[in-house]
Amino acid sequence: MSTTPRRFPTLLVALIGVAVIALAVFFARGPRAPAPDPVPSEGAAAAPAPGAGRTIAHAQGSTVVAEHPKQVVVFDLAALDTLDALGVDVQGVAGEYFPGQLAKYADAKKYPRYGTLFEPDYEALHAARPDLVITGGRSSARYTKLAAMVPTIDQTTDDAHFVDTVVGNTQRLATVFGKEEQARTLVEALKQSIATLKGTTASRGKGLIVLTSGGRMSAYGPGSRFGVLHDTFGIPPAAPSLKASLHGEAVGSEFILETNPDWLFVIDRDAAIGEGGGAQRLLDNELVHQTTAWKQGQVVYLEPANTYLIGGGIQSLRRLMEQISDVYAKPRQPSAP
Amino acid sequence: MSTRSPDSPPLPEPGFAPRASVASHEASARSEPLPMSGAKGAPLPLLAVAVLGVLVLAGISLLIGVSHVSWEALLAPSENQRAVQVLVISRVPRTLALLLAGMSLAVAGLIMQMLARNRFVEPFTAGTAESASLGLLAVTLLAPGLPILARTAVAACFAMAGTALFLFILRRIPLRSALVVPVVGLVLGAIFDAATTFFAYRFSLLQSLMAWTTGDFSSVLRGRYELLWGAFVLTVIAYVVADRFTVAGMGEAFTTNLGLSHPRIMALGLAIVAMVTAVVVATVGMIPFIGLVVPNVVSLIVGDNARRSIPWVAVLGAGFVLLCDIVGRVVRQPYEIPVGTVAGVVGSLLFLHLLLRRDDRVG
């Protein structure tokens, strides 16, 4: 009898205790949640010229960057592409494969490697102590760790506002390196060609974007990684119900047949990374042959490396648009490419 | 070939196979059989029911997909050319590919279990599939232009070497518990996998590797799956020589006592398993668990005589893969979930059920 009234308060006290601890933990962690802020300031302390820095806001917070950074290491092909367009020289790069307009960076003697796009070589970076590290896309997940070491800015693009972020990234790099004039010219040219392209695409039929890899296909829609074709270039989507997702939706040839696009835009992922691509072989089948896109020779193999690997650079975006403008400008052909 | 017909000696049920007569480490290698019921032979009508079930599933598979195909449309072909075309070009090949891959993988799993004398191995837990995909990667890197048949042949060679290495290791190490065998297989498979991943990573092929190794029938069309008939032929061969596998499953000494060449049977089984795995991995990718779950379920129904169980294993294997692919096609229409993913989920649940059920019996 006597134990029951005593046990109840004990249980209650224990429960309250647990609740208090839980709340304390919750609130103690709460304010720390936006982690990127304190980290870059730590990095800023490591910046060589105190007082000479400027605060640069970017995709993952803001960072104090030296006035004219000399030693720059880039972990993003899109940023490298934009820097190249701005005429900025970099001192270090990442990865092994430098396609198209970036071919000159393949010279490992001139441009030392600091790891891969996915995994920086922290020891080499620590030894080199660059003034600025630029991450983006594939390397953006390593931002926090890099920012704790050296001043780092992140140039990740937002698929939903692709062109805006590409322009914003270009302007940011221009500010950092004092290339505002060049950036203005580039952005103006970009906007102009977007306007021109938009005028030609809307009335020319619907398009479907397909990425092929290892003998499989996935489809991409508006707002997705390659959604810029629909969202900005104004190509009406043949499958508007496709949700935005990084790796697309797995589809078969039947899906292409039923969607029956007027234009089929193909990104051959395996060709993008330099391996013999099988996109043509995959799509050259009796079901795809029945689509309008195939019959009218409107299957467009987008420059794979430019589209898939570089993506959000200002030059690569221009090249993508030029390629699409070219195919839209050509008279229709009776047979497939 | 051996001189004596394997049919002649009255075969004991392998579940109660020789004990003292077999060399000691071989005896300990034998895994405990899963509980058996009705081992004295399954009623044929039951098999007919299973076949009927698979046929129904195949019928459903013909009607499921992005394009509209229905019986009405097929019965009036003149008005519905599209439906007939889709059926012939896409649905029938896909359904056949599913049936063929399911049958041959399940039977390959059964043979593997007999050769390794352990119920926990299958091509995907013994390094066979991993070495096959290492072979495919090697072809992709060194000779990307090779036709599919040559690619498959190279993959089969790798698979054979990998599986032979697995069986060789099994003979060399003391097997104190039935679980050592699958552990060795998993370790070996992981080593092959590590090599594959290393080269794929160095050559930026990781994602392509993922894509081609995940079992997926979405790219199966007329003209793109026919190699799987080869796997079917191998399965038929396995059925023809089934009794030899039953005997080999009882150990080397026992096999030799019956006047059969144990190494020869091992080599034949090895070749069948490796070629089937290579063909399936090269055409549609890996489908896990089927070679593990199906033979174990079948041994619950009909016991361990290979001649009796192969038809069952083939039918249930086909049904299992068909069902997984139908689920993968329906869940997110018009998009797909690869059959490898579905089979992984369904197969692991089934396998857990089998294991727990076994404990129930023991406890």
Side-chain angles (χ1 to χ4, degrees):
Chain A
M1 265 304 275
S2 63
T3 52
T4 325
R6 284 192 60 171
R7 275 178 77 175
F8 177 68
T10 320
L11 189 68
L12 198 66
V13 167
L15 272 177
I16 292 171
V18 168
V20 167
I21 293 170
L23 282 174
V25 169
F26 179 76
F27 281 107
R29 293 187 65 109
R32 275 190 214 154
D37 258 333
V39 177
S41 56
E42 203 179 298
R54 282 168 304 174
T55 307
I56 303 288
H58 54 84
Q60 292 199 45
S62 55
T63 304
V64 179
V65 178
E67 194 72 53
H68 288 289
K70 298 224 163 46
Q71 290 285 326
V72 183
V73 177
V74 184
F75 284 93
D76 178 29
L77 290 180
L80 198 60
D81 178 74
T82 303
L83 286 173
D84 191 56
L86 289 172
V88 176
D89 211 21
V90 304
Q91 281 66 49
V93 292
E96 294 290 330
Y97 190 57
F98 297 92
Q101 62 266 40
L102 303 180
K104 68 171 181 180
Y105 296 99
D107 182 0
K109 283 201 189 90
K110 205 166 164 212
Y111 300 98
R113 307 285 155 77
Y114 290 87
T116 70
L117 293 176
F118 291 97
E119 201 54 51
D121 182 347
Y122 297 104
E123 280 162 32
L125 269 181
H126 200 271
R129 284 262 148 202
D131 303 332
L132 179 65
V133 164
I134 300 170
T135 62
R138 295 169 179 85
S139 59
S140 61
R142 302 283 172 259
Y143 168 79
T144 316
K145 211 167 164 188
L146 287 167
M149 253 169 76
V150 281
T152 305
I153 58 174
D154 186 58
Q155 294 274 84
T156 301
T157 47
D158 177 0
D159 290 335
H161 311 279
F162 189 70
V163 172
D164 289 346
T165 42
V166 170
V167 168
N169 283 346
T170 308
Q171 285 161 345
R172 182 177 312 113
L173 291 177
T175 314
V176 170
F177 294 97
K179 299 278 186 184
E180 284 90 347
E181 197 51 48
Q182 288 90 327
R184 205 167 299 130
T185 320
L186 285 170
V187 169
E188 238 157 64
L190 181 78
K191 288 195 166 152
Q192 203 152 17
S193 37
I194 289 177
T196 319
L197 182 59
K198 227 174 182 167
T200 58
T201 54
S203 58
R204 298 281 301 277
K206 294 173 177 172
L208 178 68
I209 310 163
V210 168
L211 178 123
T212 68
S213 179
R216 315 279 194 260
M217 287 186 275
S218 41
Y220 290 78
S224 72
R225 180 172 187 174
F226 307 111
V228 64
L229 268 72
H230 300 306
D231 304 333
T232 307
F233 302 169
I235 300 164
S241 63
L242 272 168
K243 295 229 169 53
S245 70
L246 180 60
H247 292 294
E249 296 283 1
V251 295
S253 294
E254 258 185 53
F255 177 82
I256 299 178
L257 171 72
E258 280 309 304
T259 311
N260 192 19
D262 301 298
W263 295 85
L264 186 59
F265 298 97
V266 185
I267 300 141
D268 188 342
R269 194 196 160 277
D270 301 343
I273 53 171
E275 304 298 333
Q280 277 95 333
R281 233 180 308 144
L282 193 62
L283 289 169
D284 187 1
N285 68 55
E286 293 162 285
L287 293 185
V288 175
H289 286 178
Q290 297 179 33
T291 61
T292 312
W294 188 277
K295 284 183 195 152
Q296 310 221 336
Q298 297 188 147
V299 179
V300 183
Y301 295 91
L302 297 176
E303 248 183 80
N306 188 58
T307 315
Y308 179 82
L309 277 184
I310 311 178
I314 195 152
Q315 288 187 82
S316 78
L317 187 55
R318 275 294 291 282
R319 278 177 75 141
L320 177 64
M321 278 194 303
E322 277 162 18
Q323 200 192 348
I324 292 175
S325 303
D326 284 353
V327 295
Y328 272 85
K330 262 188 221 155
R332 292 187 171 183
Q333 296 161 356
S335 68
Chain B
M1 277 289 128
S2 74
T3 48
R4 211 194 303 180
S5 157
D7 287 69
S8 46
L11 295 175
E13 281 301 331
F16 318 108
R19 292 187 186 117
S21 63
V22 183
S24 64
H25 90 267
E26 267 182 49
S28 61
R30 154 164 301 276
S31 67
E32 298 168 50
L34 290 174
M36 275 185 286
S37 54
K40 285 299 161 206
L44 265 181
L46 212 58
L47 184 62
V49 171
V51 170
L52 203 68
V54 169
L55 287 179
V56 170
L57 282 176
I60 295 173
S61 163
L62 289 179
L63 299 183
I64 286 179
V66 186
S67 303
H68 180 74
V69 175
S70 65
W71 292 122
E72 299 94 74
L74 296 176
L75 291 176
S78 51
E79 294 155 44
N80 297 284
Q81 272 200 328
R82 163 77 67 88
V84 177
Q85 266 185 329
V86 167
L87 187 80
V88 173
I89 298 169
S90 161
R91 300 290 170 78
V92 170
R94 183 168 187 156
T95 306
L96 280 175
L98 286 162
L99 289 171
L100 296 173
M103 274 190 228
S104 43
L105 269 188
V107 172
L110 178 75
I111 297 172
M112 193 87 197
Q113 289 174 13
M114 293 187 144
L115 297 186
R117 295 157 43 86
N118 187 291
R119 289 202 178 281
F120 296 109
V121 295
E122 63 145 339
F124 296 87
T125 63
T128 311
E130 286 83 357
S131 44
S133 86
L134 180 63
L136 280 179
L137 182 76
V139 176
T140 308
L141 289 176
L142 301 174
L146 278 187
I148 178 97
L149 196 65
R151 289 165 62 96
T152 313
V154 173
C157 291
F158 271 74
M160 232 177 291
T163 319
L165 182 64
F166 171 66
L167 293 174
F168 175 77
I169 294 174
L170 283 192
R171 289 174 69 98
R172 284 303 177 94
I173 57 169
L175 299 167
R176 294 208 174 77
S177 136
L179 286 172
V180 171
V181 176
V183 168
V184 168
L186 289 173
V187 168
L188 191 66
I191 293 173
F192 290 134
D193 206 33
T196 311
T197 309
F198 174 77
F199 287 110
Y201 179 77
R202 295 298 295 176
F203 294 94
S204 310
L205 275 173
L206 268 185
Q207 276 163 305
S208 316
L209 184 76
M210 278 275 288
W212 92 55
T213 53
T214 307
D216 185 350
F217 287 79
S218 64
S219 57
V220 169
L221 292 172
R222 182 164 75 188
R224 296 203 179 161
Y225 78 102
E226 280 74 2
L227 212 54
L228 285 171
W229 284 107
F232 178 71
V233 170
L234 290 165
T235 308
V236 172
I237 294 175
Y239 180 68
V240 171
V241 297
D243 291 323
R244 281 158 212 258
F245 293 131
T246 311
V247 172
M250 282 181 267
E252 187 170 354
F254 186 83
T255 313
T256 315
N257 269 346
L258 290 182
L260 292 171
S261 162
H262 189 257
R264 239 184 237 171
I265 301 177
M266 293 293 273
L268 178 65
L270 193 71
I272 291 179
V273 169
M275 285 197 274
V276 164
T277 310
V279 165
V280 174
V281 171
T283 46
V284 292
M286 297 190 188
I287 309 166
F289 282 109
I290 169 173
L292 194 63
V293 171
V294 174
N296 275 309
V297 169
V298 169
S299 106
L300 290 178
I301 306 171
V302 296
D304 286 343
N305 183 326
R307 180 169 302 283
R308 224 180 304 155
S309 58
I310 282 181
W312 277 90
V313 170
V315 170
L316 293 191
F320 179 78
V321 174
L322 255 178
L323 190 66
C324 288
D325 191 60
I326 290 174
V327 169
R329 269 186 279 172
V330 169
V331 172
R332 298 200 60 207
Q333 242 177 337
Y335 318 120
E336 300 196 7
I337 298 175
V339 70
T341 311
V342 180
V345 173
V346 177
S348 55
L349 289 177
L350 261 174
F351 188 57
L352 275 179
H353 176 72
L354 281 175
L355 287 177
L356 295 177
R357 183 194 150 104
R358 171 189 175 155
D359 280 352
D360 269 351
R361 290 279 190 99
V362 172

